[in-house]
Amino acid sequence: MAAGLATWLPFARAAAVGWLPLAQQPLPPAPGVKTSRGDEVLVVNVSGRRFETWKNTLDRYPDTLLGSSEKEFFYDADSGEYFFDRDPDMFRHVLNFYRTGRLHCPRQECIQAFDEELAFYGLVPELVGDCCLEEYRDRKKENAERLAEDEEAEQAGDGPALPAGSSLRQRLWRAFENPHTSTAALVFYYVTGFFIAVSVIANVVETIPCRGAARRSSREQPCGERFPQAFFCMDTACVLIFTGEYLLRLFAAPSRCRFLRSVMSLIDVVAILPYYIGLLVPKNDDVSGAFVTLRVFRVFRIFKFSRHSQGLRILGYTLKSCASELGFLLFSLTMAIIIFATVMFYAEKGTNKTNFTSIPAAFWYTIVTMTTLGYGDMVPSTIAGKIFGSICSLSGVLVIALPVPVIVSNFSRIYHQNQRADKRRAQQKVRLARIRLAKSGTTNAFLQYKQNGGLEDSGSGEEQALCVRNRSAFEQQHHHLLHCLEKTTVRPNVRWYSRIERGPSEAMPALSFGWEAHYKLWKSHRA
Amino acid sequence: MGAVMGTFSSLQTKQRRPSKDKIEDELEMTMVCHRPEGLEQLEAQTNFTKRELQVLYRGFKNECPSGVVNEDTFKQIYAQFFPHGALPCLEGSPCMELPPSPALLFCLVDASTYAHYLFNAFDTTQTGSVKFEDFVTALSILLRGTVHEKLRWTFNLYDINKDGYINKEEMMDIVKAIYDMMGKYTYPVLKEDTPRQHVDVFFQKMDKNKDGIVTLDEFLESCQEDDNIMRSLQLFQNVM
C-alpha cells in the first residue's frame, strides 16, 4: 500500500484542516514546492523496448533509482527518454512493481540475474511479494548452496590451500581429512581400513567352531577358545593401531572439544574401550559374564568404515534428516502393535494351551505378523483370532509402506547432491584450465603486438605495422599501459619478449601477467 | 489402523471447507464496483480542473479498484502517514509531562480514531463507504473552498453526532484522537489534564454565550476573529 502514499498526500494534508481551530500556536508555513505538472508521461527505453509510464508512478518509491534523481544520469536529451542498457524482460517486472506495489519473481529467469537487476534499480529483494516470496527464497537458497559447495570444494580440494608456515598439527589434520593429498596420508588411510577389516573378520571367525587336531568330534570349540593367543595378539595389534590413530586425530584436531563430541570419535572410543576394560578387569568368573557382553561392542568397529565410504555417510545423514518420518513410523507401529496385541489376547483367551499368555506375549505375534514375517511359532486358533490376525497383517503392510517413500526420496536427493558436487569438482578443474587458456590468449596478443613493433616510436604512419592500425582504441591504451609498466620495472635493454621469439617450447608456461610470472622472469634476467 | 488413517484425513477436509466458503464470500464482495459520474459533471461540481481530477482519480482507482473506500481501508491509508507502532518519547509530547518511568519509554501512535471521525465527515450520506464523488467534493472544499466552507466542514467534523452543536464531550473525543496521533502513552494512568486543558481553552474562545455548547455561528464568528486560524487556513491551498 506504500504505492499510494504519494497519491494520497493531498488528502492527508486536506484532513489537517481539522486541526487548525485547535492549534494554540501559529502553524509553520507551507513548503514552497515547485508546481510541476504531476501527470507527465515518461518514456523509459530499455535496450530498445520503450516503456511509458506516468511520472507519478515512478515517484511512488523515492528511494529507488527510477524514483529519485538518479535517473537523470540516464536521461538522453536528444531523444527525450531515459535509456538503460539492461534486460528489457526483467525491466517489465521492475516497472510492474511501481505500478502495483508488488514485485513478482519471473519463473523462467535465473535468480542471480534477477537479483542483479534488482540491485541495479535499487530495489531490495525483500520487496518480493508474498505470492512469489517462497519460491524466490527456495531458488536463492539452492543457488547459494551450490555456489558454497563449489567454493568449499575449491578450498578443501587439492589446491595449495595451506600456507607454507603451517604447523605440523594443521598438516596432520589436513592429511586425515583429505587422504589423497599426500602419499603418506593415503597409505595411512588404506592401512587403517585394512586393520578395521581384519579386526571385524577376526571377531567373526572367533566364534566359528573348529575341529581339534585329534579329530575328537565330541568337543567342538569355537576357534577363539582354541587359539586364544593368536586372536589376542591380533586384537591387541588392531587396538594399538586404533588407539594411535585416535590419539593422533585428537592431537591434530583444530577444535578438540568439537572433535570429542563428534560422532566418529565416539565410535572410535566405543571400538577400543572394551579391550582396555577387559585388560583392567581381573579374570574373575563373576565379572567375566559382563566382560563377554562388552565384547559385543567390538562390532562397532565396523562403523569406522564410514570414514572410508561416502555411501555409508550419506545413509547416516539421510537417516538423521528423516528422523521425524522414522519417529512417526515407530509411533504408529507401536500404536498398532498395542491395539492388535490386546485384541488378539482377548480373542484367544478362551483357548487352553494357547501361546497368547499375556498381552506382552502377544506383542511378539503382532510384530511378526505386521512385518509379514510369519514365523509360525504363535498362531491363533479361534475364528475371531484368525479374523483379527488377517486384519493385522493387512494393516501392517500399509503402515510400513507409508513413510518409506519419504525416506527414499530424501536419500535420493542427498545422494544426487553429492554426486553432482563430485562431478562439478572434477569439471571445475577442466573449466578453470580452459579459462586460463583463453586469458593467456589476450596476453599472447600483446606479445605479438610488441613483436611486430607496435610499441616502437615510429614517426611516419606508413612504417607502422599493419597490425597496429587495426587495434581498437581500448587495445591501444591497454597495451600502452602494459608497456609503461614494463618500462617502470624491467631493466632497460632487456628484451622481455625475446624468449617468445625463440619458439613455443621456450615460451613461458601459463603466460599469465600475474606478478609471480613477471617477478620470476625479472629475477632470472638479473641472475 | 485404517480407521485411524481415515479419521485423520476426514479431519483435514473438515478444516478446509469453511475457508472455501469464505473465499466465495470475498469474491462476491469485490464484484461490487462503482463508477463515478462523468468528468464534466465533477468538474462543474468541484473547484478542480479536468487534469487535476484525472490525477486524483488515477490515484484513487489504483488504491481502490472497486471504486469505493470502506472505513478500514480509509484508516489504513491515513495511518501510513503517521509513524506506526512505538515511538520513543519526543520532546513536547504529552508523555514528557508525566513522571519519568521505564514504562514510558515508548508511545503508541494511533491514528485510527481521528481517521474514524474523518471518515464520517467524508461520508456525507452515511452509507459506510466513501465514493470518489464524496472524496473529491470534500477535497475541493478543503483545498479550494472559501474560508466559510472550510470552517463549516471543520464544524461538521467536530460535530460527531451531527446534531448541529459541539459539546464538551465531543470536543474531548476529537482532541484525544488528535493527541493519540502524537502517541498514546502506555502509562496506566491516562493524564487527562492536557487534553482537558486544551478543550477548556478552546471552549473559552469559541463559546460566546457560555452555555456549554458551540453552535455553527459561534464557531464561525470566533474563528474569523482569530488571525492565526485565518492565516493557517491558507496553508494547504496549493497542495495539488
Side-chain angles (χ1 to χ4, degrees):
Chain A
M1 272 280 242
L5 213 58
T7 47
W8 290 87
L9 187 63
F11 151 64
R13 296 193 69 200
V17 169
W19 309 338
L20 299 179
L22 287 169
Q24 291 166 340
Q25 301 149 16
L27 295 180
V33 178
K34 171 168 67 96
T35 48
S36 56
R37 271 184 41 194
D39 59 340
E40 42 171 317
V41 173
L42 296 180
V43 181
V44 179
N45 183 349
V46 183
S47 301
R49 207 186 294 181
R50 279 186 177 69
F51 295 88
E52 301 183 14
T53 180
W54 298 113
K55 187 172 184 298
N56 281 343
T57 313
L58 294 180
D59 286 341
R60 280 191 197 147
Y61 296 98
D63 54 349
T64 58
L65 187 153
L66 290 169
S68 64
S69 57
E70 198 184 340
K71 65 176 183 282
E72 302 303 325
F73 285 98
F74 298 92
Y75 184 67
D76 181 9
D78 302 327
S79 49
E81 53 191 30
Y82 295 89
F83 182 76
F84 293 97
D85 192 13
R86 310 283 300 190
D87 188 353
D89 292 323
M90 300 280 206
F91 186 74
R92 193 170 63 86
H93 297 278
V94 170
L95 195 54
N96 277 337
F97 168 65
Y98 285 90
R99 290 175 181 147
T100 61
R102 273 181 293 279
L103 184 62
H104 295 283
C105 171
R107 300 261 153 115
Q108 65 274 25
E109 303 281 353
C110 173
I111 207 79
Q112 189 93 332
F114 185 64
D115 262 350
E116 281 165 16
E117 293 298 310
L118 287 187
F120 178 79
Y121 291 109
L123 301 172
V124 279
E126 279 71 34
L127 289 170
V128 175
D130 289 332
C131 40
C132 298
L133 188 61
E134 215 178 290
E135 198 199 314
Y136 172 78
R137 280 219 193 107
D138 286 340
R139 281 168 69 186
K140 212 166 160 196
K141 204 166 34 159
E142 207 185 296
N143 221 13
E145 271 174 20
R146 220 177 292 156
L147 288 172
E149 272 175 27
D150 279 341
E151 262 184 47
E152 219 182 84
E154 260 188 60
Q155 287 172 8
D158 18 33
L162 270 192
S166 64
S167 65
L168 173 69
R169 227 179 115 176
Q170 283 174 322
R171 269 183 285 152
L172 211 56
W173 181 248
R174 200 161 144 262
F176 277 132
E177 292 299 297
N178 305 314
H180 41 274
T181 45
S182 71
T183 355
L186 211 56
V187 163
F188 182 75
Y189 177 76
Y190 282 122
V191 161
T192 45
F194 172 72
F195 272 98
I196 296 173
V198 159
S199 160
V200 168
I201 292 173
N203 281 348
V204 166
V205 167
E206 230 177 27
T207 58
I208 301 178
C210 24
R211 297 275 177 87
R215 298 277 184 111
R216 272 179 290 136
S217 54
S218 54
R219 284 210 49 186
E220 272 205 356
Q221 276 180 329
C223 285
E225 287 177 27
R226 273 198 71 86
F227 309 104
Q229 298 296 356
F231 280 106
F232 183 72
C233 287
M234 218 180 304
D235 206 24
T236 314
C238 294
V239 167
L240 278 177
I241 297 216
F242 296 153
T243 319
E245 184 203 350
Y246 180 70
L247 289 175
L248 272 177
R249 272 184 208 264
L250 189 62
F251 165 67
S255 157
R256 298 222 170 100
C257 298
R258 202 157 60 98
F259 175 74
L260 281 174
R261 279 180 295 168
S262 72
V263 174
M264 289 311 302
S265 89
L266 282 176
I267 292 177
D268 290 338
V269 168
V270 168
I272 58 179
L273 219 45
Y275 177 81
Y276 289 111
I277 296 181
L279 280 186
L280 298 171
V281 161
K283 288 253 186 287
N284 201 347
D285 274 331
D286 295 332
V287 203
S288 67
F291 172 63
V292 166
T293 325
L294 267 180
R295 283 176 148 211
V296 166
F297 284 99
R298 289 188 304 174
V299 81
F300 276 90
R301 286 180 198 164
I302 208 172
F303 282 116
K304 286 168 70 75
F305 266 129
S306 54
R307 274 213 187 93
H308 299 249
S309 156
Q310 204 190 24
L312 257 182
R313 274 203 300 268
I314 294 177
L315 187 62
Y317 185 65
T318 312
L319 289 175
K320 197 167 62 151
S321 69
C322 302
S324 63
E325 278 81 31
L326 286 174
F328 167 68
L329 172 64
L330 218 62
F331 177 68
S332 56
L333 267 180
T334 315
M335 264 175 49
I337 287 169
I338 295 176
I339 292 174
F340 280 107
T342 316
V343 166
M344 290 307 295
F345 171 70
Y346 283 112
E348 292 285 308
K349 202 160 177 223
T351 332
N352 28 350
K353 283 204 271 183
T354 183
N355 280 334
F356 295 82
T357 49
S358 67
I359 295 185
F363 280 169
W364 175 243
Y365 168 76
T366 320
I367 293 174
V368 167
T369 315
M370 282 188 91
T371 51
T372 69
L373 279 174
Y375 288 136
D377 53 350
M378 281 167 83
V379 276
S381 29
T382 60
I383 296 186
K386 287 188 179 155
I387 292 174
F388 286 118
S390 38
I391 297 175
C392 174
S393 65
L394 288 173
S395 57
V397 172
L398 284 172
V399 168
I400 293 180
L402 281 174
V404 168
V406 178
I407 298 173
V408 164
S409 74
N410 256 355
F411 179 79
S412 144
R413 180 177 59 90
I414 296 171
Y415 182 70
H416 283 304
Q417 240 177 34
N418 260 294
Q419 278 208 318
R420 255 198 349 245
D422 287 338
K423 220 196 312 182
R424 230 177 304 127
R425 237 171 281 155
Q427 286 175 348
Q428 190 84 324
K429 286 191 243 168
V430 180
R431 255 184 67 211
L432 286 175
R434 282 209 204 113
I435 290 173
R436 238 176 276 138
L437 206 62
K439 275 202 190 138
S440 71
T442 52
T443 321
N444 270 339
F446 174 56
L447 294 167
Q448 195 76 7
Y449 174 63
K450 276 182 33 172
Q451 254 188 317
N452 297 333
L455 290 178
E456 310 291 335
D457 272 331
S458 44
S460 59
E462 306 102 60
E463 284 170 24
Q464 274 190 343
L466 209 74
C467 62
V468 176
R469 263 179 267 149
N470 285 340
R471 296 287 172 209
S472 69
F474 169 76
E475 274 179 355
Q476 281 179 14
Q477 289 177 353
H478 187 216
H479 293 165
H480 174 251
L481 184 70
L482 296 175
H483 192 207
C484 292
L485 180 63
E486 217 181 61
K487 281 281 183 278
T488 319
T489 54
V490 180
R491 277 200 307 192
N493 307 327
V494 166
R495 306 268 288 177
W496 192 77
Y497 52 82
S498 59
R499 278 188 151 212
I500 314 302
E501 287 164 9
R502 277 189 234 136
S505 55
E506 301 258 357
M508 292 241 297
L511 295 157
S512 61
F513 246 81
W515 283 104
E516 309 92 52
H518 198 106
Y519 181 67
K520 260 191 259 174
L521 182 59
W522 183 61
K523 271 191 80 176
S524 67
H525 272 279
R526 265 167 58 108
Chain B
M1 204 68 243
V4 175
M5 292 294 147
T7 45
F8 274 140
S9 51
S10 72
L11 275 172
Q12 278 192 338
T13 49
K14 266 209 201 119
Q15 282 172 355
R16 243 179 274 133
R17 242 180 271 131
S19 59
K20 246 207 289 188
D21 293 334
K22 218 167 45 152
I23 290 174
E24 283 170 349
D25 285 335
E26 274 181 32
L27 276 173
E28 276 181 28
M29 272 166 49
T30 50
M31 286 310 198
V32 172
C33 203
H34 175 84
R35 290 202 173 75
E37 313 163 4
L39 198 52
E40 286 84 12
Q41 259 180 303
L42 277 177
E43 194 191 355
Q45 284 171 5
T46 65
N47 302 330
F48 289 121
T49 63
K50 263 211 190 122
R51 183 154 245 132
E52 289 166 339
L53 282 172
Q54 281 178 339
V55 173
L56 276 174
Y57 186 68
R58 281 201 291 265
F60 187 85
K61 180 85 178 172
N62 217 9
E63 291 310 305
C64 319
S66 58
V68 292
V69 194
N70 58 6
E71 188 162 342
D72 287 329
T73 323
F74 196 85
K75 280 187 182 166
Q76 264 178 24
I77 293 171
Y78 197 64
Q80 283 175 77
F81 287 96
F82 303 96
H84 274 263
L87 268 185
C89 275
L90 303 163
E91 281 300 314
S93 73
C95 41
M96 276 292 138
E97 298 169 30
L98 290 168
S101 99
L104 256 199
L105 288 174
F106 294 102
C107 295
L108 285 171
V109 169
D110 183 19
S112 57
T113 333
Y114 188 67
H116 170 75
Y117 298 136
L118 268 182
F119 186 79
N120 286 338
F122 269 75
D123 186 15
T124 44
T125 47
Q126 306 299 315
T127 52
S129 63
V130 170
K131 301 189 292 294
F132 183 63
E133 293 94 336
D134 303 330
F135 181 67
V136 156
T137 318
L139 275 191
S140 161
I141 294 175
L142 288 171
L143 299 177
R144 301 283 165 89
T146 64
V147 164
H148 195 91
E149 288 171 348
K150 287 184 193 173
L151 289 174
R152 182 183 247 137
W153 194 90
T154 317
F155 184 85
N156 197 31
L157 171 71
Y158 292 163
D159 185 11
I160 295 175
N161 53 5
K162 314 285 178 228
D163 61 353
Y165 304 106
I166 305 178
N167 52 14
K168 273 215 169 145
E169 284 75 32
E170 289 174 339
M171 211 53 228
M172 202 47 202
D173 289 337
I174 295 274
V175 168
K176 259 205 235 157
I178 294 180
Y179 271 89
D180 281 349
M181 285 197 294
M182 276 295 297
K184 195 189 281 192
Y185 19 90
T186 56
Y187 199 76
V189 173
L190 196 75
K191 187 136 200 253
E192 296 269 327
D193 286 12
T194 320
R196 185 162 290 283
Q197 278 172 14
H198 209 129
V199 172
D200 288 338
V201 164
F202 179 81
F203 259 78
Q204 254 179 356
K205 202 165 47 159
M206 302 284 165
D207 194 6
K208 298 286 175 185
N209 55 2
K210 308 290 175 209
D211 58 353
I213 52 173
V214 178
T215 64
L216 179 60
D217 300 317
E218 286 176 345
F219 184 74
L220 289 173
E221 213 184 300
S222 328
C223 284
Q224 275 161 342
E225 283 168 9
D226 189 336
D227 281 333
N228 272 340
I229 295 179
M230 286 293 115
R231 224 174 327 175
S232 45
L233 277 175
Q234 313 302 320
L235 273 180
F236 304 109
Q237 199 79 338
N238 57 345
V239 174
M240 283 304 296

